[in-house]
Amino acid sequence: MDFRVRAATKEDCKDISRMIMELAVYEKMPDQVEISHKELERDGFCQNPFFECLVAEVPEDATRTERFTVVGYALYFYTYSTWRGRAVYLEDLYVMPAFRGKGIGKGLLCKVAEVGRKKECVRLQLSVLDWNTPSRDFYAAKGAQDLTASEGWHFIRFDGQNLDKLANEAPKD
Amino acid sequence: MDFRVRAATKEDCKDISRMIMELAVYEKMPDQVEISHKELERDGFCQNPFFECLVAEVPEDATRTERFTVVGYALYFYTYSTWRGRAVYLEDLYVMPAFRGKGIGKGLLCKVAEVGRKKECVRLQLSVLDWNTPSRDFYAAKGAQDLTASEGWHFIRFDGQNLDKLANEAPKD
């Protein structure tokens, strides 16, 4: 199938927002989604954006609905390893079910790797759910390491009241 | 003990670099450290920095060696959740052994939370090694969730030749 990958624009945020929800449904956590295209527009297309995004699109006549030509996205940002330096983190990689198995997901992943390489990133990182075997296999087949399995890294999070409490207890300047 | 937390400057990078190595030794992976103060200066103190850093310092007469007044650091950057929006990620939190148990680590953590809150971040995230019980207990006591344990998130990484291979296979523009 013909497809192309390009940098997302502000005008893509409604499509991206729709696909973020589709991905959350797949990950069985749709109630976790609390942001809309407005926050994406504000946070991704400002002077110091919090993320960058690529979209995959197909020619209109190949889509089922003819309403959407954007059929996938990869949202990422830059992180930093104090051991190795610059890295790129792939927050979301998604291709609509009807368009899977055609190399679009791999195309998005490879493009993020290329973008990261241009910024001298030495790592591309991401996270997957343990039951998500298709995704784990997809990444493993391309040479990814599972650091939770091999080195024992765990994700830790503060949010809500626990985060407020920390912030309120910060030492005064 | 009197201590203060302040934003790191370029001049702190040698101290930070020394403590990065101390932390890696504690984490039993000293051979993983490949960057020096030069990369920290370049990547943290440029126009669009890849990270921000706080340092904790104590008055000179309270230090053992009198050579260092900087005794701890917290290195962090901003990330993005497509479900919740802006987040801050604490890459490293370290206090030199002789200065532990005096609230300095908590002071650094709380300050990162405060800085994140000012940027409208709704999460503070980090990762710990499964055998690192002191750190896991430290964060859990302050209300952190272990998402690897509760939701099953695994860390995945591409680097070296595997990352090069991906980048080389990116679709052409």
Side-chain angles (χ1 to χ4, degrees), chain A residues 1 5 12 19 34 48 54 65 72-73 81 89-90 97 100 104-105 107 109 112 118 122 135 152 154 167-168:
Chain A
M1 177 184 284
V5 172
D12 292 312
M19 293 187 289
E34 293 187 1
N48 266 342
L54 299 171
T65 66
Y73 74 103
S81 160
Y89 189 92
L90 180 60
R100 289 183 195 161
I104 299 178
L109 175 68
V112 172
K118 283 184 185 159
V122 296
S135 292
H154 281 228
N168 292 338

Side-chain angles (χ1 to χ4, degrees), chain B residues 24-96:
Chain B
V25 168
Y26 172 73
E27 288 180 324
K28 304 176 188 174
M29 295 191 234
D31 54 319
Q32 300 265 348
V33 181
E34 292 186 1
I35 69 170
S36 72
H37 66 279
K38 288 185 182 168
E39 284 80 16
L40 296 174
E41 289 170 5
R42 181 194 66 192
D43 294 336
F45 300 88
C46 50
Q47 187 150 25
N48 266 342
F50 283 80
F51 64 83
E52 296 180 6
C53 192
L54 299 171
V55 290
E57 54 187 6
V58 296
E60 285 229 346
D61 56 18
T63 65
R64 301 263 168 134
T65 65
E66 294 197 353
R67 285 186 55 204
F68 305 118
T69 52
V70 172
V71 299
Y73 74 103
L75 190 145
Y76 60 95
F77 41 76
Y78 299 99
T79 65
Y80 202 76
S81 160
T82 50
W83 296 353
R84 299 288 172 96
R86 302 178 187 183
V88 57
Y89 189 92
L90 179 61
E91 176 73 10
D92 280 1
L93 176 65
Y94 179 75
V95 177
M96 291 171 68

Side-chain angles (χ1 to χ4, degrees), chain A:
Chain A
M1 177 184 284
D2 268 354
F3 68 93
R4 64 170 197 166
V5 172
R6 62 169 172 80
T9 66
K10 208 167 179 174
E11 289 64 44
D12 292 312
C13 287
K14 281 190 183 172
D15 272 334
I16 297 165
S17 180
R18 168 183 57 81
M19 293 187 289
I20 284 171
M21 180 53 84
E22 291 176 24
L23 177 55
V25 168
Y26 172 74
E27 288 180 323
K28 304 176 188 175
M29 296 189 233
D31 55 318
Q32 299 265 347
V33 181
E34 293 187 1
I35 70 171
S36 73
H37 66 278
K38 289 185 182 170
E39 285 80 17
L40 296 175
E41 289 170 6
R42 181 194 65 191
D43 293 337
F45 299 89
C46 49
Q47 186 150 24
N48 266 342
F50 284 79
F51 64 83
E52 296 181 7
C53 192
L54 299 171
V55 291
E57 54 187 5
V58 296
E60 285 229 346
D61 57 15
T63 65
R64 301 260 168 136
T65 66
E66 293 196 355
R67 286 186 54 203
F68 304 117
T69 51
V70 172
V71 299
Y73 74 103
L75 189 144
Y76 59 96
F77 41 77
Y78 300 99
T79 64
Y80 203 76
S81 160
T82 49
W83 296 353
R84 298 291 172 92
R86 302 177 188 184
V88 58
Y89 189 92
L90 180 60
E91 175 73 10
D92 280 0
L93 176 64
Y94 179 75
V95 176
M96 291 170 69
F99 297 91
R100 289 183 195 161
K102 303 169 195 303
I104 299 178
K106 190 189 168 195
L108 285 163
L109 175 68
C110 290
K111 200 72 184 176
V112 172
E114 186 187 62
V115 169
R117 270 310 211 184
K118 283 184 185 159
K119 283 251 190 185
E120 297 178 54
C121 294
V122 296
R123 291 175 171 170
L124 189 168
Q125 300 196 121
L126 56 105
S127 53
V128 293
L129 285 159
D130 53 7
W131 56 259
N132 189 352
T133 311
S135 292
R136 293 179 71 176
D137 291 349
F138 173 82
Y139 295 117
K142 291 167 181 58
Q145 302 171 65
D146 181 331
L147 297 179
T148 297
S150 64
E151 295 182 353
W153 291 103
H154 281 228
F155 270 103
I156 305 293
R157 176 184 297 161
F158 291 96
D159 59 8
Q161 291 183 329
N162 292 312
L163 178 58
D164 291 339
K165 189 162 182 291
L166 286 185
N168 292 338
E169 291 178 6
K172 300 292 162 256
D173 290 326

